[in-house]
Amino acid sequence: MENSRRSFLKVAGITALGVGTKPVLNVFASSGGHVEEPKPEVSKNEKALTAKKWGMVIDTRKFHSAEDLEPIIDACHKIHNIPELPEPRHKIMWLWEDEYKHVFTHREHELVNDRIKHLPFLVLCNHCEKPACVRACPTKATFKRDDGIVLMDFHRCIGCRFCMAACPYGSRSFNFRDPRPFIKEENKEFPTRMKGVVEKCNFCAERLAVGKLPACVEASNGAITVGDLDDPESEVRELLRTNYTIRRKPDLGAGPSVYYIV
Amino acid sequence: MLELALKGDKKYWGWIIALLAFIGVGFAVYLKQLDFGLGITGMSRDVSWGFYIAQFTFLVGVAAGGVMVVLPKYLHDYKAFGKITILGEFLAIAAVTMCLLFIIADLGQPMRAFNVILYPTPGSVLFWDMIVLNGYLFLNIVIGWNVLEAERNNIHYPKWVKPLIFTSIVWAPAIHTVTAFLYCGLPGRGFWLTAILAPRFLASAFAAGPALLILLCLIIRKVTKFDPGKEQIQSLAKIVTYAIILNMFFFLCEVFVVFYSRIPSHMSHLQYLFFGLHGHGALVPWMWTAMIFMGTSIVLLVIPATRKHEGVLAFSCVILFIGAWIDKGLGMISGGFVPNPLHHVTEYVPTIPEILITLGIYAIGLLVLTILFKVAVNVKEEVGGLKDSCESC
Ligand code: SF4
Ligand code: SF4
């Protein structure tokens, strides 16, 4: 029941985007009697990109300065209607940059080489294997999909911010005020949020559903790769096999799905 | 019995009107918060819980502390407390009421609060906290009311109340334990990630709650004809003494572990609170004040001569209460968020609107407390409060 509601939302989202050409939802009208409960049958968009377990590899060797990251961050924030709020403490970030010592707090040491020391790193939700945010949420407004993506239901969130306290990576933002007046150019294909709810990177689930790669991947000139961590043939697995990668705070056991080549 | 709260002298009504004024202001500012969002508070992306949740945490302690008069009476048959158990129960009602209001005030979408019930999530500690808090409120209302009514009619309270009383005795530590579990199970917050957090919460609760009760007893003696009793106050004082010593001990255990192990993610929060971090130290003077207050109160409470002197005792209770409030209502929550998971320091200071809403909620709590205590005390006066213990219960 839970799942069908979500799938419905997802599907409704796709149709609203005007992409679903085929009927994606078939509800067989029941004629009473003993027939089984009519179940909504959901079929995926044929072009949808799918994976058993989504993951991301960021090749930080391809970045040199904050300028290299800017277009990537902009791409994400633009299509997801992230507001630019006047008050720093109200800031909303899905994808941002920070220094090595802040991103990899458990690996930081003073004598790290110059390149790493001054290199800006991309930071985003890790779509954890065991997400602390999901465990903490009292309403299941934040939930993990079977394919590993951790999502938000903006309409269910009560804004208790338990998930923000729980996330060990600081990945979540809260709408301290109505964000709509502060969205520069609204992308009509993605919902805006209301005040009082939490949000974060959604792995571009809305784009994957219609066969598009995440916006950051598209804007990264090949520096960011996403794919199926469970598929040994996938591009991300190839990258992980042939490069030394690190994850954030691995000792916490959360199992981040975002890997960094350094 | 509620009609008893409608009869009072000028002072009584003056006090009620003053409280109503605070409630009115708080409510008006809350409407503003509803309209604008939680942005009118000092909270931020980094310090995402602030004053409201801190007051909530502190008051859960006060509510749980009420059990310290109920437990000796019913488990140890300590008759003297029979006279004041009702005060402990009514204090718990007022405190839990405030707790629930603080949670509502802290929600970004309060209209959706029922989602917690519509989509029950037993994996979330907040779900359990909701259950234990409402349960405790319910228990105390039912017990308090029935016992008092029986006392008024000079009969024994109904039999079915007794199991509820025992339940409430177990329930009281549970509410504060679950509240501690809200924090101490979170993986990335070194300040809270410690098994001593729940014991620490309980110790500070069993100090601050009864300390407040002592003060309330002294006030009641002054403004009414009912005398809660010297022995009762002294017994409470001993409970407070042991509890505050335990609280200090638990805290020092934490300090040892944190600073001897020198694990930065655990150390940095205490460093921030007591010494400041990277040039930020808004809470430093507060935290030291709390330590000095609690330390001084220990000295004054341990020495029998000062403990037995009611003036000094009152003073000890006041500073202890303030100390415990700073420790929990100021340091405990924002301290856990500074530095943030990326080791950045964003400080938190509550804003004026936030403080006004907080005062409004405290005023509601005091109003509930005043009305309930008025009823209780009038009943006691009716049946002759000069009796040393209440035989009927
Ligand atoms: S990084 Fe944080 S928000 Fe993202 S899934 Fe993990 S715990 Fe949740
Ligand atoms: S703020 Fe929303 S998503 Fe986060 S824990 Fe609360 S209800 Fe769940």
Side-chain angles (χ1 to χ4, degrees), chain B residues 130-144:
Chain B
M130 177 213 60
I131 291 183
V132 289
L133 280 178
N134 284 299
Y136 194 61
L137 181 63
F138 172 77
L139 281 172
N140 278 291
I141 291 176
V142 173
I143 296 169

Side-chain angles (χ1 to χ4, degrees), chain A residues 17-219:
Chain A
L17 295 176
V19 193
T21 42
K22 290 208 272 174
V24 276
L25 183 71
N26 290 315
V27 182
F28 301 107
S30 103
S31 46
H34 62 279
V35 282
E36 322 93 72
E37 280 283 296
K39 268 197 187 152
E41 190 182 285
V42 178
S43 60
K44 277 215 178 76
N45 183 309
E46 269 170 7
K47 286 184 289 181
L49 300 176
T50 56
K52 273 222 187 81
K53 185 170 178 248
W54 281 107
M56 176 184 282
V57 177
I58 302 177
D59 190 347
T60 63
R61 294 169 308 188
K62 297 196 171 144
F63 298 127
H64 306 286
S65 67
E67 274 140 55
D68 296 342
L69 303 183
E70 230 168 71
I72 305 177
I73 296 170
D74 277 354
C76 165
H77 282 189
K78 221 183 227 149
I79 66 153
H80 291 123
N81 293 324
I82 309 286
E84 274 182 39
L85 297 159
E87 190 69 60
R89 70 173 193 276
H90 298 160
K91 197 162 187 167
I92 293 188
M93 310 190 279
W94 284 28
L95 178 65
W96 71 103
E97 45 125 325
D98 208 337
E99 293 173 297
Y100 181 77
K101 65 174 181 196
H102 290 295
V103 180
F104 298 97
T105 45
H106 288 44
R107 293 178 163 272
E108 180 257 337
H109 65 92
E110 260 171 48
L111 305 177
V112 68
N113 66 358
D114 284 349
R115 184 182 72 88
I116 296 291
K117 197 182 243 167
H118 302 296
L119 187 70
F121 284 79
L122 281 173
V123 195
L124 69 159
C125 167
N126 284 296
H127 297 276
C128 303
E129 212 178 310
K130 295 182 195 145
C133 56
V134 172
R135 195 173 171 97
C137 176
T139 63
K140 303 188 188 85
T142 190
F143 57 97
K144 191 178 140 196
R145 259 181 8 183
D146 289 342
D147 61 3
I149 299 180
V150 176
L151 286 181
M152 276 296 305
D153 181 341
F154 303 122
H155 300 277
R156 189 186 284 191
C157 174
I158 59 172
C160 65
R161 310 189 296 297
F162 201 7
C163 53
M164 293 178 81
C167 171
Y169 301 101
S171 306
R172 300 183 152 253
S173 308
F174 179 70
N175 286 284
F176 279 100
R177 60 185 302 182
D178 182 9
R180 285 163 190 147
F182 303 96
I183 300 169
K184 276 213 184 114
E185 266 170 72
E186 193 183 318
N187 170 18
K188 300 271 184 222
E189 299 196 339
F190 194 77
T192 56
R193 273 76 67 197
M194 66 198 306
K195 67 177 177 238
V197 297
V198 165
E199 60 182 77
K200 66 166 194 76
C201 155
N202 67 347
F203 215 85
C204 279
E206 83 284 6
R207 290 171 60 92
L208 295 175
V210 295
K212 289 191 204 161
L213 282 169
C216 58
V217 176
E218 262 183 12

